Amino acid sequence: MTTSVAFEKARAEGRAALVGYLPAGYPSVEGSIAALKAMIQAGVDVVEVGLPYSDPLIDGPVIQTAVDSALRAGTTTTDVLRVVEAVAATGAPAVVMSYWNPLDRYGAAAFARDLAAAGGAGVITPDLTPDADDTWIPAAREHGLDTVFLVAPSSTDARIAMTTAACRGFVYATSVMGVTGTRDQVGDAAAALVSRTKAATDLPVAVGLGVSNAGQAAEIAGFADGVVAGSAFVRRLLEAPDDAAGVAAVAELAGELAEGVRRR
């Protein structure tokens, strides 16, 4: 399934899509596969598979802790592709969340080829703007991959128009300025940013950074096409006493958030 189909399916059901993130390789490669599959079974519509990287500029301390553990355990880009392949086999779209340096080092064309071969749906590139590189978008287009770029409350209307024109699949709107991590309240700027973004594109707009409970998911689902949760899932894994308990914990959270995006 592509991300477009997943968002269309959610829209047909009168709700926002639920997007869930976990880094590949935490608590292990097989452990991350088990956790992501459990999230899908519990109601996550689109999966973000994080590619562990040593300088995660946008990631807060929760994700950094898990990513650091994955890197120390030797998780490689090949492992990430293996996770994508396992997740895609469930039928849910799997997009990779990666900083640009690892993709550039692997080779944009080679990564697009190998990700497509693994059944991946696309890539979210949080630190890459569409006008900063002339290799990634052509490589992704050649293999039918989504290119998901970020817009933020600080983005001008001109930057939003340029960014959304380069997006495929959906647009990722950051609800607050800063790094990822659960927050008590949804940023006030989120709804305004979604409105400005929708004025520039017909693509679905998903809001991320800070979602941790059903109430927040319901609030964002009231004005956005997708609700993204990341740190809250990772925290469940970090605080679990063992891998099995971690899988159960992320499934429980996925069920709560899935209920949230379905509230009327």
Side-chain angles (χ1 to χ4, degrees):
M1 184 188 298
T2 65
T3 58
S4 296
V5 170
F7 277 96
E8 289 169 4
K9 180 174 181 287
R11 184 181 296 118
E13 296 174 359
R15 64 176 177 86
L18 178 59
V19 183
Y21 164 96
L22 283 181
Y26 185 82
S28 63
V29 173
E30 295 303 324
S32 58
I33 291 172
L36 286 163
K37 286 183 175 179
M39 288 163 56
I40 294 166
Q41 189 168 16
V44 167
D45 300 292
V46 177
V47 165
E48 291 182 20
V49 178
L51 193 157
Y53 178 51
S54 58
D55 297 304
L57 301 175
I58 196 174
D59 296 331
V62 172
I63 292 178
Q64 286 184 30
T65 298
V67 165
D68 182 61
S69 177
L71 287 172
R72 284 188 284 105
T75 303
T76 65
T77 302
T78 300
D79 292 324
V80 175
L81 294 171
R82 185 156 67 88
V83 173
V84 168
E85 185 172 25
V87 171
T90 68
V95 295
V96 170
M97 178 78 154
S98 177
Y99 294 91
W100 176 238
N101 271 2
L103 301 190
D104 189 39
R105 183 176 178 82
Y106 193 95
F111 188 80
R113 177 199 64 209
D114 292 350
L115 178 61
V123 183
I124 302 168
T125 45
D127 64 342
L128 180 69
T129 58
D131 54 346
D133 167 78
D134 59 3
T135 61
W136 172 240
I137 292 177
R141 296 285 182 272
E142 181 179 349
H143 293 281
L145 297 172
D146 290 341
T147 49
V148 182
F149 297 99
L150 274 62
V151 295
S154 60
S155 301
T156 64
D157 289 344
R159 292 295 298 183
I160 288 175
M162 183 275 292
T163 301
T164 57
C167 285
R168 294 291 185 277
F170 65 99
V171 182
Y172 195 121
T174 60
S175 61
V176 295
M177 302 300 293
V179 299
T180 60
T182 58
R183 291 171 169 80
D184 293 333
Q185 295 180 327
V186 175
D188 293 337
L193 176 60
V194 170
S195 178
R196 292 171 60 209
T197 305
K198 283 184 166 294
T201 182
D202 292 329
L203 287 172
V205 181
V207 171
L209 296 187
V211 177
S212 63
N213 58 57
Q216 291 174 328
E219 181 180 354
I220 292 176
F223 57 82
D225 304 298
V227 178
V228 183
S231 293
F233 281 119
V234 178
R235 184 184 297 280
R236 294 288 180 110
L237 286 183
L238 288 170
E239 294 179 347
D242 53 51
D243 291 0
V247 170
V250 296
E252 179 182 39
L253 177 60
E256 293 172 3
L257 298 178
E259 182 274 323
V261 300
R262 286 168 171 79
R263 288 183 187 173
R264 303 289 183 176

